[in-house]
Amino acid sequence: MHLAHYLGLLHRAQSNLADAFRQVGEAHADEPDVFHLCHQQAGVCDRHAGLLEPFARRYSEEAPDEPERLHSELFSGTRTGGIGLLRDLQDLYLMAAECDVCWTVVGQAARGARDHGLQQVVQQCEGETAIQLQWLRTRMKAAAPQALVVAE
Amino acid sequence: MVDRIADPWGPRTPYAPGAAWPERVDMFLGDGLSEDEVDGWYQSASVLHSNGDAMDIAVKDGRIAGVRGRAVDRVNHGRLDVKDMYGWQANNSPDRLTRPLVRDGGRLVEADWDTAMDRIVTRSRELLDGPGGWGHFGFYTSGQLFLEEYYALGVIGKAGIGTPHMDGNTRLCTATAAAAMKASFGTDGQPGSYTDVDHCDAIALWGHNVAETQSVLWMRMLDRRRGTNPPAMLAVDPRDTPVAREADVHLAVRAGTNVALMNGLLREIIRRGWYDEAYVAAHTIGFDELCRIVDGYPPERVAGICDIRAADVERAAELIGTSQRLLSTVLQGFYQSNQATAAACAVNNLHLLRGMIGRPGAGIYQMNGQPTAQNTRETGADGDLPGLRNWDNEQHIRELAELWNVEPDTIPHWAPPTHAMQIFRYAEQGSIKLLWISATNPAVSLPDLARIRRILAKPKLFVVVQDLFLTETAELADVVLPAATWGEKLGTFTSVDRTVHLSEKAVDPPGEARADLDIFLDYARRMDFRDRDGEPLIRWTGPEDVFEAWKECSRGRPCDYTRITYERLRGGSGIQWPCDDEHPEGTERLYTDGVFNTDPDYCETYGHDLSTGAEFSEQQYRAKEPGGRAFLHAVDFQPSPEVPSDEYPLLLTTGRTVYQFHTRTKTGRARQLDAAAPDVWVQISTEDAARHGITDGDLVGIAAPRGAIQGPARIGRIRAGVIFVPFHYGYFDIDRPDRLPRAANELTVTAWDPVSKQPIFKVAAVRIVKLADADGGR
């Protein structure tokens, strides 16, 4: 049973996203909404990771060795300025998108395993990840014209 | 005559439920003038608060000489707010600006209109040429202009320059009211009417110190309270205000915890069976999700978060849950606080759950702080589109493009219009290079003033200020334009309960001062904005032309003005929109049939996630199939962005006094009002004062991570852990060398609600220290 590997992948993706949200928030603290919402969403990711942990532990008992090239690195630090903000938000977007699809995959596995507890966790968390994607898109849509067409 | 400084609300005229509110005509004439010596009376209404009280302006020898309440008017039945009684004297103040000023060699010097306008137009042209030129402009306006001025400015900005960077200081006062009504009911627009006070059996005041902000509305409430079968009253406020003292139940919640309280109350209403199951099923969406969220807020948990007693949560729930005709009113205690839109939506939820909407006495006032705020929202001079249209609805954009005869692409609609705090951020970063500020004073009213002053003083930012006086903001401008004001120009404006009033020109403005409309139209002519046929974009010459054009823009929209004319407004009373062929006499209450403006083709927004402000798409909205039902929204409580720490252990909340309006630009120049409240004060609880060795009148210093102020202490009438400072006091009336920091906004935090973008003025972490004894010793 390989579910543990995907749980691990998602768990680490959530932790990485939390960390990236914090870094982007700090790097763009002069954008107060970005600062506050990034920290708020980092908290959401931490909570997701916390909720996944007991399942990851439980399933790891039945898991074979982890396959190669399971994890991906999507974030390598923040940038500055208006266009830097856009690129940083876009990085967060890609990381959140990875979490989003992992929730789908894990949710399907939870169904196959008839694991209602895990299904409940997925149901709650995948909606919050979808909101993160939507917020990042909203913020980038508003910022893009000024950053790309107006700013010098 | 009653001393209205000592008794701001005047004598009571009690009345019974369902009866007409008795008339009481308030009047004040200056210089010992008697009523029969007045040369003429000119119809108007208040621009010193959002109540919309109608009054007549007295003129003697070409000068404004006093005011008298209009007994015929539906809003005030003749009464006047103390600010209106005396505030008109500012019009005659000797320090009015009478000529334009331009900055030369670092100093502001007098100039003629051609010179001043030429500087603005030359800079505008330079900036507008080239890709993204629109993005260099920002317009920051007021809650003080007239409808016609906002609409003209909105067309200049959106169809002339094509910039989304337009907002009003209504963002600071009223943005959450609009956001909450859009979110719950589909469009902006107050469901209720002031006459709901006449019929209600319970009044709930959610963070609204109505006794000081809209005192005539408070008189109406007090008169019901002194009559037979008075309404019960609930107040939510961390301070012991006149409203809280009158109320039967007062919840002095910890600042920043409104959502926890509302979730707790909603839970009780549902669990005790006080909700209207049939109404909820027929007219709302989202009940199950609401129940899931609020279920986590039993009274004991709410008591812990809000620092109140669980029994009081239950009492409050019973008061509102057992009423038959509940009137709610909401203002800055909710709007300028943590989770503002979510908290305001929770009040809408309460009324939807109880089916208390659209009938006499069952009203919701999502209030405005600024008097003409309603018009900025309707006409698109703030972060909305004209006619309460949806920026994300291509058909709505096409309608505007047809109306203005411009290409739809000209009208910026790729995202919502830029909100005030973001406009200042773009100015800080340097991409906005021309900032035009009309009739408002951000150098005192915005959060974190040191930052705002830095931005306004930036050499590369060209700042235009259009105002009556050399305000703290005008001092930093590159061009200052002297404006005419209320009583010196013609136009209309609309109160919170959708009542449209006409304001006549009673006197000429001083010197070369011009009506704001004339200034905007002059700018449009000089800029030579063209429509898609090459004709002038703006062809209006006066207020009535603009009003007629606005009526077409409003046609078929919720705020339909089409059957209102200047002539109909003259002589009688105000008229409530919508006023169209179907409702020729106007409309007292919206949603009387339980059908809401949530149709996807008609609504003003496709909605937001209340925690993050993430916008939902048209597709997502359509999938909800609202079918005319209202939305119930619920979110979990989250702590405020700034909470007390060891270093800053107290919570600062800011607010108002009945004697002053906004940054005192006018009221500080009216002798009686200035004398009644001449200076800032720092209100602190008895417990906190004792802990810091502070006695009444001691000079104290308040520090936040951003700045510090000082002022005399007033002890008591506030919950422990919270400090109150009135936000009105800036620096214009103090000589520059003597200016000690006293503006509350030196302390407030740059943070805003994710949906309404309204700054969080009500929650900042601070510390206090005693600086000197009341008698000056240490």
Side-chain angles (χ1 to χ4, degrees), chain A residues 94-109:
Chain A
L94 294 175
M95 295 174 78
E98 175 163 82
C99 294
D100 183 58
V101 74
C102 284
W103 286 118
T104 302
V105 169
V106 169
Q108 290 300 96

Side-chain angles (χ1 to χ4, degrees), chain B residues 439-500:
Chain B
T440 188
N441 193 11
V444 179
S445 59
L446 284 182
D448 192 1
L449 290 181
R451 170 174 176 260
I452 298 302
R453 282 189 297 263
R454 268 198 312 275
I455 296 171
L456 291 172
K458 274 171 67 99
K460 287 189 174 169
L461 180 68
F462 187 82
V463 179
V464 180
V465 171
Q466 176 173 321
D467 215 320
L468 315 184
F469 300 98
L470 196 68
T471 62
E472 293 87 340
T473 304
E475 287 178 3
L476 300 167
D478 295 282
V479 175
V480 180
L481 304 175
T485 185
W486 175 89
E488 301 164 355
K489 60 183 187 181
L490 175 66
T492 56
F493 44 86
T494 308
S495 77
V496 172
D497 84 338
R498 297 172 281 104
T499 304
V500 184

Side-chain angles (χ1 to χ4, degrees), chain A residues 30-33 36-37 40-41 44 81-82 131 134-135 138-139 141-143 145-146 149-152, chain B residues 132 134-136 165 414-415 422 425-426 429 431 433 609 611-612 614-616 620 638 641 750-752:
Chain A
D30 287 340
E31 316 294 338
D33 59 333
H36 291 302
L37 283 166
Q40 183 203 89
Q41 293 306 314
V44 171
I131 290 293
Q134 205 139 10
W135 170 65
T138 297
R139 188 65 177 80
K141 274 180 75 175
Q146 195 76 6
V149 180
V150 181
E152 281 152 9
Chain B
W134 51 264
H136 298 311
H165 306 326
W414 47 74
Q422 188 67 52
R425 175 64 183 148
Y426 287 151
Q429 288 177 307
S431 64
K433 295 174 188 298
D609 169 59
S611 299
T612 59
E615 266 150 8
F616 296 132
Q620 286 174 305
Q638 287 173 347
T750 303
W752 53 82

